[in-house]
Amino acid sequence: MGTWEATTWLSIIALMIAAYLLGSIPSAVWIGKKYYGIDIREHGSKNAGTTNMLRVLGKRAAAPVFIIDYFKGFIAVILTSLMRYDNNVSEDWIINLRIIATVFVVLGHIFPIFAGFKGGKGVATLLGAGTGIYAPILLLCFAVWCLVFAIWHYVSLASMVAGCCYPLLVMIFSTMTYNSSAPFLSVPFIIFSWVVAILLVWTHRKNISRLRHGTESQIFLWGGPDAESGEKREENTENR
C-alpha cells in the first residue's frame, strides 16, 4: 500500500464512488412511483426495501426490487476485481477493497443520493455484496434465512438469524485451509462479518420490539391464515 501510485488511488476512489452510486439506485421508490403511483416510504413500515414492497404491493412489485438491490451489491463488489490489473494491489488488498465497496454500496442503499438520502435497510444489497466476496458462506446464510422464514414467516427474524450466523460460519470456515486465497482467512473479513451481524440486529431494533409484543407482521408467500379465511368466506357466500 505504501508504494501505491496516484493512478491506483484514483481508481480505488472511482470504484468506491461507483459503489455508492450503484447503492443509491432506489429501486423500490422508482418502481412504486412509476407503476403503482405511490411512494413506498409513505406506506407500511415506510422502508424502501423488498419486504415493505411485498407487504404493501405484493410479490410482483417486490421481485424486481429484490433482484435490482441484490445485483447492486454484487456488481459493486465484483468491479473491484478490476484492480487485479494494477500490479501495486495485492490479493489481500483486493479482499479489503471488496469489504470497503460493500460498505459504500450499502450506505448508498440506506442513504441514496437519488432519493433524498432516505432508503432501505440494505439487506438484499448486503446479500449481493456478500455473495461477491465469498458465495458459499452467503448461500449457507440464505439457507438459514429460508428455514427460519418458512417456519415463522417473519422476514425480520429470518434476516437477523441469518446475519448472526454469518460471522459464526466465517469463523468455522477460517479453520479450514483448503483454499489459502479465500477471504475467510483474512482478519479484516472476520471483523467485517461481526460488524455486519451487529448492524443487522441494530437496524432491526424496531422489529425486535414488535416481535416481543407480537405486533410484527407475518408474510405468507404461498397463502396463509388470511388467505384461508378469505377462501372460507367466499365458500360461505357461495353456499348462501
Side-chain angles (χ1 to χ4, degrees):
M1 180 177 176
T3 59
W4 284 3
E5 299 175 357
T7 53
T8 300
W9 282 106
L10 289 174
S11 298
I12 290 172
I13 291 170
L15 285 172
M16 296 308 113
I17 292 174
Y20 172 78
L21 293 177
L22 275 170
S24 289
I25 297 173
S27 58
V29 176
W30 286 353
I31 289 174
K33 289 183 176 180
K34 174 71 174 178
Y35 297 103
Y36 299 91
I38 67 168
D39 186 338
I40 193 63
R41 296 171 298 180
E42 298 175 355
H43 301 270
S45 65
K46 296 178 172 55
N47 179 54
T50 304
T51 304
N52 200 34
M53 288 290 282
L54 181 61
R55 184 180 293 117
V56 175
L57 297 173
K59 289 180 282 187
R60 184 173 294 183
V65 169
F66 175 80
I67 292 170
I68 294 171
D69 289 352
Y70 175 89
F71 279 101
K72 289 191 308 187
F74 183 77
I75 293 171
V77 167
I78 293 301
L79 281 176
T80 60
S81 297
L82 293 172
M83 296 307 299
R84 285 199 172 98
Y85 295 102
D86 190 325
N87 294 328
N88 296 318
V89 181
S90 66
E91 191 63 32
D92 287 340
W93 261 101
I94 292 294
I95 297 171
N96 294 338
L97 290 176
R98 288 181 173 182
I99 294 171
I100 297 170
T102 299
V103 173
F104 274 87
V105 72
V106 172
L107 282 175
H109 182 87
I110 298 173
F111 306 107
I113 193 172
F114 303 127
F117 301 99
K118 185 181 178 183
K121 295 178 180 177
V123 176
T125 302
L126 184 60
L127 179 63
T131 305
I133 296 175
Y134 194 68
I137 293 177
L138 256 292
L139 291 174
L140 287 173
C141 288
F142 184 64
V144 171
W145 186 95
C146 291
L147 179 62
V148 175
F149 178 73
I151 296 173
W152 288 286
H153 305 287
Y154 291 114
V155 172
S156 57
L157 179 63
S159 299
M160 287 187 286
V161 173
C164 290
C165 285
Y166 189 45
L168 298 178
L169 289 169
V170 169
M171 294 298 291
I172 292 171
F173 272 65
S174 67
T175 63
M176 305 174 185
T177 57
Y178 62 87
N179 186 353
S180 59
S181 63
F184 52 73
L185 294 175
S186 164
V187 173
F189 182 57
I190 294 173
I191 296 172
F192 166 76
S193 67
W194 283 100
V195 172
V196 167
I198 293 169
L199 286 178
L200 269 177
V201 174
W202 183 78
T203 56
H204 285 83
R205 58 194 183 280
K206 292 182 180 178
N207 303 87
I208 293 173
S209 177
R210 290 195 292 267
L211 285 167
R212 290 177 60 188
H213 292 91
T215 57
E216 180 75 336
S217 298
Q218 289 181 300
I219 292 178
F220 296 85
L221 295 179
W222 299 280
D226 293 338
E228 291 175 2
S229 61
E231 291 174 359
K232 290 180 180 179
R233 283 195 297 269
E234 290 179 1
E235 290 177 359
N236 292 334
T237 302
E238 291 176 357
N239 292 333
R240 291 176 186 175

